[in-house]
Amino acid sequence: MSAPKHVVVIGAGVVGLCCAHYLLERGHSVTLLERDSEPLTGCSMGNAGMIVPSHFEPLAAPGAVSMGLRMMLQRDGPFGIRARFDADLLSWLMQFRKCATAQHVARTSPLLLRLHLESRKCYEELAEQGAEFGLVTRGLLMLCKETSTLNQEAHLAERAKALGLAAEVLDPAGTARVDPSVRMSVAGSVFFPQDCHFSPHRFMACLLERVRAAGARIEWNSPVIGWRSRGMGMEAQEGSNKPSWVNGRANAVKTPNGEIEADEFVVACGSWSSEILRTLDIPLALQPGKGYSVTLLNPDPLPTVCSILVEARTAVTPMDGGLRIAGTMELGGQDHRINQPRLNGMLEAFPTYFPDYAGTDVTQLPVWTGLRPCSPDGLPYVGRDKVRPNVITATGHAMMGMSLGPITGKLVAGIVSGDEPDGALEALCPYRFLRR
């Protein structure tokens, strides 16, 4: 291991907190910067709270483009793109289309499965150490209303088993045996027993307390407004009219409260990461994907197993005595406005799977909305920049930030500590879409 370093972690969401936790565990000192004025307010808080080895296939998969186009035509569908001219969005969509191949899925599925399983182990270790965040290891049901959908999910179950992940295709009676506490109106399901769920709020609060106790300096209301760095940007080289990138380390990050010097800088601020990196002349192919959630308090009955409503692309999670309903993906830039038809489509689908809630008006519940950071190929970005070698990116997890947060923190701590490179890092490198 290299000598202990001072590391600035930008972003106090789940990925940033996990990075801070594992960096402190490895003996480094950490300053944590967060643009919000108070803790536990960001995108991580409205998450469905699932650990999902079952989600081993990336978003960029065969059929994703055609399915997305069909859903875009539905005002209340689970996917949408806000029409606008945006060169970054167009480039992102082109890269997504290029990546949506069977070869990409075959190449990346084993890696994603490995990362989810290792992250699950991290959660179990934290729980064994006394962290109280409501971890429930009872699996996940992929609920299908249509037989055709169940057949598609059965193929996914076969691919899962080929990779060593347990999966079971169930009829309605088998589905009811997994969770007899609530009625389900489905054609069947696929059960993934290694998936888990927990309370994001309790996990974040627990992790925040741990990094504080370990000595992290935490600065709220501290957005990054610039950098001090050697070798910024591009310079013309002697004997050539063409500029080329100049290697240079970042020396300090600038905030409204002053500059903070550090040996290493970790950019883990979710959908804002691309804007932060742009101020360092580091481009990142990233788009914010808006999602919604509502939480039904003290419902009766209460499921004991989390589920995905497959046709509705909606997650349902019991947590802290309540029931969280979460979903949708809308590529609309940095826009938190609520798209009511899309939200209504998600909420109206919920009781069609769970008839016990048919008389419950979930459309009147308070709505949380957040922006998930999405890469074009469905893989997160984790690694050092090629030009700014002491700037590490940790973002791009899309809807998997909670599931992959701990393993991302461990990977970042290994990078800073000078560990032998993990084999995953080549596929996750943040400049994989760039030629420079």
Side-chain angles (χ1 to χ4, degrees), residues 37 49 118 126 137 146 192 214 225 230 275-276 328-329 347 385 412:
S37 58
E118 290 186 6
L126 287 166
T137 58
E146 305 295 335
F192 288 97
I225 58 175
R230 290 187 288 109
E275 295 189 16
I276 300 299
T328 82
M329 175 66 78
L347 298 180
D385 183 64
V412 167

Side-chain angles (χ1 to χ4, degrees), residues 85-101:
F85 177 77
D86 184 323
D88 289 338
L89 173 61
L90 292 174
S91 174
W92 188 97
L93 291 170
M94 290 174 64
Q95 290 286 358
F96 182 90
R97 184 176 181 273
K98 182 178 178 181
C99 292
T101 66

Side-chain angles (χ1 to χ4, degrees), residues 34-82:
E34 171 54 49
R35 65 194 304 273
D36 288 340
S37 58
E38 56 187 53
L40 309 181
T41 57
C43 180
S44 302
M45 301 311 298
N47 192 280
M50 296 178 177
I51 305 163
V52 281
S54 61
H55 287 46
F56 57 86
E57 290 197 346
L59 286 176
V65 175
S66 58
M67 181 180 67
L69 290 172
R70 289 196 305 273
M71 289 181 176
M72 280 180 60
L73 300 176
Q74 307 168 13
R75 293 182 65 246
D76 59 352
F79 175 75
I81 299 176
R82 182 165 60 83

Side-chain angles (χ1 to χ4, degrees), residues 34 48 95 98 160 171 173 183 195 222 227 276 344 375 381:
E34 171 54 49
Q95 290 286 358
K98 182 178 178 181
D171 61 12
R183 287 190 301 142
D195 284 17
S222 295
W227 300 79
I276 300 299
N344 288 345
S375 71
Y381 295 113

Side-chain angles (χ1 to χ4, degrees), residues 48-378:
M50 296 178 177
I51 305 163
V52 281
S54 61
H55 287 46
F56 57 86
E57 290 197 346
L59 286 176
V65 175
S66 58
M67 181 180 67
L69 290 172
R70 289 196 305 273
M71 289 181 176
M72 280 180 60
L73 300 176
Q74 307 168 13
R75 293 182 65 246
D76 59 352
F79 175 75
I81 299 176
R82 182 165 60 83
R84 68 197 190 280
F85 177 77
D86 184 323
D88 289 338
L89 173 61
L90 292 174
S91 174
W92 188 97
L93 291 170
M94 290 174 64
Q95 290 286 358
F96 182 90
R97 184 176 181 273
K98 182 178 178 181
C99 292
T101 66
Q103 292 81 2
H104 174 65
V105 171
R107 184 172 61 252
T108 58
S109 290
L111 169 61
L112 278 175
L113 177 57
R114 175 201 142 191
L115 293 175
H116 281 295
L117 288 172
E118 290 186 6
S119 216
R120 183 190 195 275
K121 184 179 178 182
C122 293
Y123 276 110
E124 290 179 312
E125 289 171 349
L126 287 166
E128 290 168 0
Q129 294 166 11
E132 295 286 348
F133 52 93
L135 181 64
V136 178
T137 58
R138 295 194 58 185
L140 172 143
L141 285 166
M142 301 289 291
L143 298 178
C144 304
K145 286 197 70 68
E146 305 295 335
T147 302
S148 59
T149 310
L150 181 60
N151 290 336
Q152 293 171 10
E153 292 301 310
H155 288 301
L156 178 67
E158 290 303 315
R159 294 196 292 274
K161 288 188 283 188
L163 291 171
L165 183 68
E168 186 178 0
V169 181
L170 302 173
D171 61 12
T175 303
R177 285 193 292 270
V178 171
D179 191 355
S181 63
V182 63
R183 287 190 301 142
M184 292 169 277
S185 175
V186 294
S189 67
V190 174
F191 178 52
F192 288 97
Q194 289 164 273
D195 284 17
C196 314
H197 70 270
F198 62 98
S199 166
H201 186 277
R202 289 167 62 188
F203 179 72
M204 297 278 287
C206 177
L207 213 53
L208 181 59
E209 183 56 37
R210 283 183 169 234
V211 300
R212 276 178 173 152
R217 170 187 168 192
I218 305 175
E219 299 282 346
W220 306 106
N221 198 25
S222 295
V224 171
I225 58 175
W227 300 79
R228 177 159 50 83
S229 175
R230 290 187 288 109
M232 287 285 292
M234 303 177 78
E235 295 179 3
Q237 301 300 297
E238 185 176 353
S240 173
N241 293 325
K242 293 184 177 180
S244 63
W245 286 97
V246 177
N247 290 324
R249 297 171 60 83
N251 301 117
V253 64
K254 298 179 181 180
T255 78
N257 305 314
E259 291 188 356
I260 302 173
E261 295 185 345
D263 302 303
E264 306 267 8
F265 299 87
V266 179
V267 180
C269 43
S271 63
W272 295 98
S273 298
S274 56
E275 295 189 16
I276 300 299
L277 291 166
R278 192 174 291 123
T279 63
L280 261 179
D281 293 323
I282 299 174
L284 190 72
L286 194 74
Q287 284 293 313
K290 183 161 55 182
Y292 304 105
S293 74
V294 301
T295 304
L296 184 61
L297 302 178
N298 303 313
D300 185 22
L302 179 65
T304 60
V305 175
C306 60
S307 60
I308 302 289
L309 316 182
V310 176
E311 291 89 352
R313 300 294 190 271
T314 296
V316 178
T317 312
M319 61 175 69
D320 297 332
L323 192 63
R324 178 160 294 173
I325 307 162
T328 82
M329 175 66 78
E330 184 175 357
L331 302 178
Q334 297 289 350
D335 180 5
H336 281 83
R337 290 176 296 178
I338 294 173
N339 183 320
Q340 200 63 47
R342 205 172 306 286
L343 173 63
N344 288 345
M346 178 184 83
L347 298 180
E348 290 166 4
F350 162 68
T352 68
Y353 291 79
F354 294 100
D356 286 334
Y357 300 104
T360 304
D361 188 3
V362 293
T363 62
Q364 300 304 308
L365 294 172
V367 179
W368 170 92
T369 182
L371 303 174
R372 300 86 142 226
C374 303
S375 71
D377 59 1

